[in-house]
Amino acid sequence: MGQQPGTGIHEYLKHVLYSPDAKPTPYPEPSKRIIYDQLVQLQGVFSTLGVQQSEFHANDGRVMHLLKAHGTIPIHYQGCKYNIPIIIWLTSGFPQHSPLVYVMPTTTMVIKAGHPHVDGSGQVGVPMIRNWNPSASNLLELTLQMCELFGKEPPLYSAAAAQGAGAAGGATNPRPSPPPVVQPPQGYPSYPSQPPLPPPFPQGAGRPYSHADGEP
């Protein structure tokens, strides 16, 4: 369960991290205050990211109740603002180790092949993640770096544009069309709201990705 209407992030995190009635998290006590501070700071700047505790199924079969930030982050590409859907998992080793970050393409979106910072599964590997320093790195700076780098080269593209490129002989469209931006699906925390839709491009003009509905 994520933040509920009328429930601020401070109260929600205090409950998840410290209440005996909450589902147990794997974070050691010294890490909880850092996690609390970083998530409050992150949502203070990126109100389009909700905070939620969810089950995480590890590769070794363990099931943990981890905190995550998910929703959209804005980028600016060719003078227009778009929203990239992402999820940031705070793994059991956070903040000593980097979070696990994915872009979350929906059924109308595809991940750009060969993207320098996102692999084929959607996992993000920007420089701050690869060179994580717990004394200097934090969630806000990481998210700002993603906005900057994704604005230079968007990682998500319209599936229809990608199919059209394949039908045209396999040529890669460097500026494929974005899918429509809609309200978040069920499963996203109702707090906060999403930003306005980006303006459309002229008919026939190429453009990148955007946010569409789909379960994270």
Side-chain angles (χ1 to χ4, degrees), residues 61-148:
R62 290 179 300 156
V63 178
M64 296 174 284
H65 294 95
L66 301 182
L67 279 164
K68 66 182 180 182
H70 69 149
T72 63
I73 59 172
I75 71 167
H76 293 84
Y77 181 78
Q78 295 186 346
C80 291
K81 178 183 176 181
Y82 296 100
N83 305 308
I84 294 222
I86 66 163
I87 184 168
I88 304 173
W89 286 101
L90 275 57
T91 58
S92 58
F94 185 86
Q96 295 303 312
H97 300 283
S98 66
L100 188 61
V101 185
Y102 288 89
V103 296
M104 303 300 293
T106 67
T107 55
T108 60
M109 304 160 74
V110 293
I111 298 169
K112 181 180 179 181
H115 193 277
H117 305 298
V118 177
D119 69 15
S121 72
Q123 186 171 351
V124 176
V126 294
M128 186 170 292
I129 290 177
R130 296 195 302 268
N131 303 295
W132 186 262
N133 179 351
S135 64
S137 306
N138 59 67
L139 296 175
L140 177 58
E141 293 300 325
L142 169 60
T143 306
L144 290 170
Q145 185 176 84
M146 286 192 287
C147 291
E148 177 184 1

Side-chain angles (χ1 to χ4, degrees), residues 2 10 13 27 29 31 47 62 85-86 90 107 118 121 138 156 164 172 176 178-179 193 202:
H10 297 273
L13 288 175
Y27 311 116
E29 287 300 320
S31 298
S47 62
R62 290 179 300 156
I86 66 163
L90 275 57
T107 55
V118 177
S121 72
N138 59 67
L156 300 178
T172 301
S193 61

